Amino acid sequence: MGIDEFVVVEMDDVASAEQDHLDSVGSYIDRIADTLWPINKKIHDNPELGYEEKIAHAALTGFLKTRKGWKVTPSAYGLETAFVAVYDSGKKGPVISFNAEMDALPGIGHACGHNLIATASLSGALATAECMKECDIPGKVVLFGTPAEEGGKIKLLEAGAYKDYKCDINLISHPGIVEDGALVRTAAYIRFKVEYFGLEAHAAASPWLGINALDALITAYNGLSVLRQQTMPGDIIQGHITDGGLAPNIIHAYAAGVFIVRANTRDRLAVLKKKVDSCFEAGAAATGATLKVTFEQSYDDHVPNRALGRSYRHFFNRLGGAIPTADIDEIEHRSMASSDQGNISYAMPSLSPGFWIRPGNIGSGPHSPEFTEVSGTREAFELALNVGKGLAATAIDVLTRKGLLDEVKKEFEAMKR
């Protein structure tokens, strides 16, 4: 059985406005907006690289320690800037987890808007807990502070963080300049370093005595260019040469480059990576150079849970959004960008909605100075709070609506097969 067998039912399969708690979580987030704004600004105006988010960590954990009923563990699981904050109703029920990112990009600050991700997850987690308290809803909320989008969640997964807290689902979001979406898919990704080792010789007097490592790398590079003719839509091969030799009159004894391969799914990535590996092996075989490949990083593709997406879409659209139906949403919000949230989606049901924030000039999308500026505005903050409302309402829906969590988990298990 595959994921396509899960038929998406629209509004009639989600709690009605009279039954759900959207107004409650929305009103609560509105009341705490002015309290959360300085935290958002502090993170934005003090950009920190991955695993160095000390100011953001202090701001978030310091605030959470002031909230009644929350237990906060700073510097969790051996990561200085990770944290875990837990609200426990005291009654056994589902465990809803949120991820809060907080790292910035080198040189251009919060050009990916991770301050807004932290705001959406923080507000969503707080509102979920408040609604549980006010309405006597069993269960638990866990907010993970996840450093370094490029690997922090993987480190927490490997350390057993999500298993330790018995998380049933995980919620996060991401800003951008495309229209709002619930079912955001990202690409599977692997990054690695390639090195060739040859032998120096005089390039004019006795080149036959040498082994040209740069020739090996260029042969492989050209092989990748030829391979692209037979790759599938969604396959991406990227690379650059970091070391190309010492001087033109020396046969190059060393050459190196860094390469990235992406594909729509992790299964497809495994197939494509084998073809890419063959190109590098061919370079070594053609020249006699010795090949060394060093793994650097990888992420799984993010597979959004449609049942969670249906709930989020229903609530977010009632807040003024216009997310289309599932089939259209998945097409419009497939991204070839990559994130370690993908690994979360293979460990538990996950949802990572995308949300629009006002762009600056044409072409000023994420990873640009203009996006850094926009992500620090009050308008972007308010849009992130709206996402927090949708996430909280979805969380409460999972906690209260009979059969929803079973459906979410059934879909997740089918996806993994």
Side-chain angles (χ1 to χ4, degrees):
M1 182 168 59
I3 194 170
D4 291 339
E5 295 183 43
F6 288 88
V7 178
V8 176
V9 182
E10 296 300 324
M11 304 289 281
D12 58 347
D13 197 35
V14 179
S16 68
E18 292 75 20
Q19 298 170 318
D20 64 46
H21 299 270
L22 180 62
D23 290 343
S24 174
V25 299
S27 296
Y28 174 76
I29 289 177
D30 287 340
R31 292 197 302 273
I32 64 171
D34 288 341
T35 303
L36 298 183
W37 169 243
I39 300 171
N40 178 81
K41 281 295 287 180
K42 193 172 192 67
I43 297 172
H44 178 272
D45 294 349
N46 296 276
E48 301 165 291
L49 300 181
Y51 304 114
E52 299 175 9
E53 310 97 328
K54 296 179 182 179
I55 295 172
H57 176 272
L60 290 164
T61 57
F63 170 74
L64 284 161
K65 287 178 181 178
T66 69
R67 311 307 292 183
K68 186 177 180 180
W70 284 86
K71 180 181 178 181
V72 183
T73 303
S75 299
Y77 291 93
L79 298 173
E80 184 179 5
T81 55
F83 67 83
V84 184
V86 181
Y87 174 84
D88 191 340
S89 69
K91 297 180 180 179
K92 186 176 181 181
V95 180
I96 308 296
S97 65
F98 294 78
N99 284 338
E101 293 180 7
M102 47 198 157
D103 60 314
L105 291 167
I108 52 176
H110 277 287
C112 212
H114 290 187
N115 60 300
L116 301 174
I117 297 176
T119 291
S121 291
L122 175 62
S123 62
L126 290 170
T128 301
E130 183 69 14
C131 187
M132 292 169 67
K133 181 170 63 176
E134 293 296 323
C135 300
D136 196 27
I137 298 171
K140 187 182 295 184
V141 182
V142 183
L143 174 63
F144 292 99
T146 58
E149 181 184 24
E150 285 77 17
K153 300 180 197 69
I154 297 173
K155 288 182 182 294
L156 288 172
L157 273 173
E158 292 174 344
Y162 297 91
K163 285 186 177 180
D164 287 350
Y165 289 93
K166 298 180 173 58
C167 299
D168 287 298
I169 68 168
N170 187 263
L171 303 172
I172 194 172
S173 61
H174 206 295
I177 60 170
V178 298
E179 294 180 355
D180 300 317
L183 301 177
V184 175
R185 288 180 173 266
T186 59
Y189 164 107
I190 186 168
R191 174 188 169 110
F192 52 95
K193 181 178 181 179
V194 173
E195 297 173 281
Y196 288 100
F197 300 88
L199 182 65
E200 295 97 335
H202 196 293
S206 52
W208 54 86
L209 297 178
I211 297 175
N212 198 319
L214 181 59
D215 280 353
L217 184 54
I218 295 300
T219 298
Y221 196 95
N222 288 335
L224 296 175
S225 296
V226 173
L227 173 62
R228 288 190 183 98
Q229 187 178 16
Q230 273 78 45
T231 55
M232 297 175 63
D235 292 349
I236 296 176
I237 305 167
Q238 304 161 297
H240 75 117
I241 296 173
T242 57
D243 294 273
L246 298 175
N249 61 342
I250 302 173
I251 295 298
H252 308 299
Y254 180 75
V258 176
F259 292 83
I260 292 171
V261 182
R262 304 180 198 247
N264 283 334
T265 68
R266 67 179 188 179
D267 288 344
R268 172 58 192 169
L269 180 62
V271 173
L272 180 60
K273 179 61 165 52
K274 287 183 179 180
K275 295 177 183 290
V276 169
D277 288 345
S278 295
C279 293
F280 291 112
E281 291 163 2
T287 61
T290 300
L291 169 65
K292 179 182 179 181
V293 178
T294 304
F295 168 82
E296 293 191 349
Q297 185 60 275
S298 69
Y299 318 123
D300 292 337
D301 52 301
H302 181 259
V303 184
N305 186 276
R306 277 190 163 210
L308 290 175
R310 182 182 67 231
S311 180
Y312 178 83
R313 178 173 61 251
H314 169 74
F315 293 119
F316 189 81
N317 285 354
R318 278 173 51 195
L319 292 165
I323 298 174
T325 57
D327 290 339
I328 297 173
D329 189 11
E330 280 197 332
I331 293 171
E332 291 184 346
H333 293 95
R334 174 176 287 281
S335 170
M336 292 315 298
S338 304
S339 166
D340 57 2
Q341 185 69 21
N343 297 67
I344 297 290
S345 76
Y346 279 90
M348 70 197 74
S350 168
L351 194 70
S352 179
F355 63 99
W356 173 92
I357 64 173
R358 186 181 302 278
N361 300 321
I362 295 175
S364 58
H367 295 208
S368 71
E370 291 85 358
F371 198 85
T372 301
E373 182 179 354
V374 171
S375 69
T377 63
R378 180 77 187 209
E379 180 186 29
F381 168 75
E382 297 287 350
L383 291 169
L385 292 184
N386 220 36
V387 174
K389 296 173 184 178
L391 293 176
T394 300
I396 295 296
D397 202 21
V398 172
L399 289 167
T400 59
R401 185 149 61 88
K402 185 177 180 180
L404 177 55
L405 182 57
D406 289 339
E407 180 188 358
V408 166
K409 290 188 172 183
K410 185 177 180 182
E411 178 188 334
F412 172 71
E413 293 301 326
M415 177 274 291
K416 293 198 299 180
R417 288 200 288 270

